[in-house]
Amino acid sequence: SQKIEQNSEALNIQEGKTATLTCNYTNYSPAYLQWYRQDPGRGPVFLLLIRENEKEKRKERLKVTFDTTLKQSLFHITASQPADSATYLCALPNDYKLSFGAGTTVTVRA
Amino acid sequence: DAGVIQSPRHEVTEMGQEVTLRCKPISGHNSLFWYRQTMMRGLELLIYFNNNVPIDDSGMPEDRFSAKMPNASFSTLKIQPSEPRDSAVYFCASSPVWGGGTEAFFGQGTRLTVV
């Protein structure tokens, strides 16, 4: 069956450090992968999309990598700030569906 | 644009009652999704509409759940009768043209509590 697995543990990091989140998947052959941010009491908000032929994508302090051989995406938040504290979800397309991982909660300490 | 608008934001109802959740997608978006989020199961897709037509409702948990999209600017998700295990946050999301990497735009969600 298809699975999307993200870091099972919450991530607590010091301000200024880099947070690295993992998204592993099985039984998918995605043409792309998306990352979303979700704050408490809010809906997910799109952050980044990376396509299967792209190794790396950057947006400001965010960096995403996509390894279709390992079936893994890494999401990095560099120079982290307390405002980056949120839950981050990876999402993979499956036909017309967008399936989400369980998310990793990141807390950045000042 | 105000984004995807859902109502109500919070709903508390008694077991057995009918519950109707509402969604107004972003104007011009032709794809609409209903998701349910719980701690145990995360975000689950319930149903997907394309151009107001339900394409796949395989995620709808039971016959107690039904969804409609009478026009491009309005959709409802109804639970009748409601049960405590239906308690969750329900999200509506829309997308301009689904496929090819288009992002999904989510509403604020409706937190449903069935007592």
Side-chain angles (χ1 to χ4, degrees):
Chain A
S1 62
Q2 294 175 321
K3 281 187 181 178
I4 304 171
E5 294 181 327
Q6 297 189 241
N7 305 53
S8 57
E9 300 293 325
L11 208 56
N12 289 284
I13 60 170
Q14 186 72 37
E15 183 176 9
K17 300 293 186 184
T18 296
T20 298
L21 285 62
T22 303
C23 176
N24 294 299
Y25 58 91
T26 53
N27 295 321
Y28 279 93
S29 297
Y32 59 88
L33 184 147
Q34 298 181 349
W35 284 90
Y36 287 75
R37 168 182 173 143
Q38 186 173 22
D39 290 286
R42 310 290 291 269
V45 175
F46 172 80
L47 293 175
L48 276 167
L49 178 151
I50 185 165
R51 298 190 183 278
E52 61 180 337
N53 60 350
E54 297 175 314
K55 295 294 184 188
E56 182 180 298
K57 200 84 170 275
R58 290 176 186 261
K59 178 182 176 183
E60 298 173 353
R61 293 181 295 105
L62 306 179
K63 185 179 88 171
V64 173
T65 63
F66 191 15
D67 189 325
T68 55
T69 301
L70 290 179
K71 296 187 182 298
Q72 180 182 80
S73 175
L74 298 179
F75 178 85
H76 306 272
I77 307 171
T78 60
S80 60
Q81 303 169 359
D84 296 326
S85 298
T87 296
Y88 294 85
L89 304 122
C90 67
L92 277 74
N94 183 11
D95 293 331
Y96 44 79
K97 301 178 183 181
L98 193 62
S99 298
F100 287 82
T104 299
T105 299
V106 175
T107 302
V108 182
R109 303 187 308 275
Chain B
D1 199 320
V4 176
I5 300 173
Q6 291 186 245
S7 64
R9 288 296 311 277
H10 303 273
E11 177 80 39
V12 180
T13 191
E14 291 185 347
M15 182 173 64
Q17 296 298 306
E18 177 179 297
V19 175
T20 299
L21 312 181
R22 296 172 176 78
C23 173
K24 177 177 167 43
I26 294 173
S27 177
H29 285 193
N30 68 358
S31 295
L32 185 137
F33 308 86
W34 281 100
Y35 284 88
R36 177 172 70 176
Q37 187 174 41
T38 60
M39 288 294 291
M40 289 297 293
R41 301 174 69 90
L43 263 172
E44 302 174 278
L45 179 65
L46 300 177
I47 188 168
Y48 159 65
F49 290 88
N50 188 48
N51 291 324
N52 313 339
V53 176
I55 303 301
D56 186 354
D57 64 355
S58 61
M60 298 284 260
E62 299 171 32
D63 291 345
R64 298 184 297 105
F65 285 68
S66 63
K68 293 183 180 179
M69 193 164 185
N71 57 61
S73 58
F74 184 64
S75 177
T76 59
L77 178 68
K78 185 178 294 186
I79 308 172
Q80 165 65 16
S82 58
E83 297 183 4
R85 59 192 167 123
D86 302 330
S87 297
V89 181
Y90 291 80
F91 287 104
C92 175
S94 70
S95 187
V97 177
W98 190 244
T102 316
E103 67 184 271
F105 294 79
F106 282 79
Q108 299 276 48
T110 295
R111 181 174 294 278
L112 173 65
T113 303
V114 183
V115 297

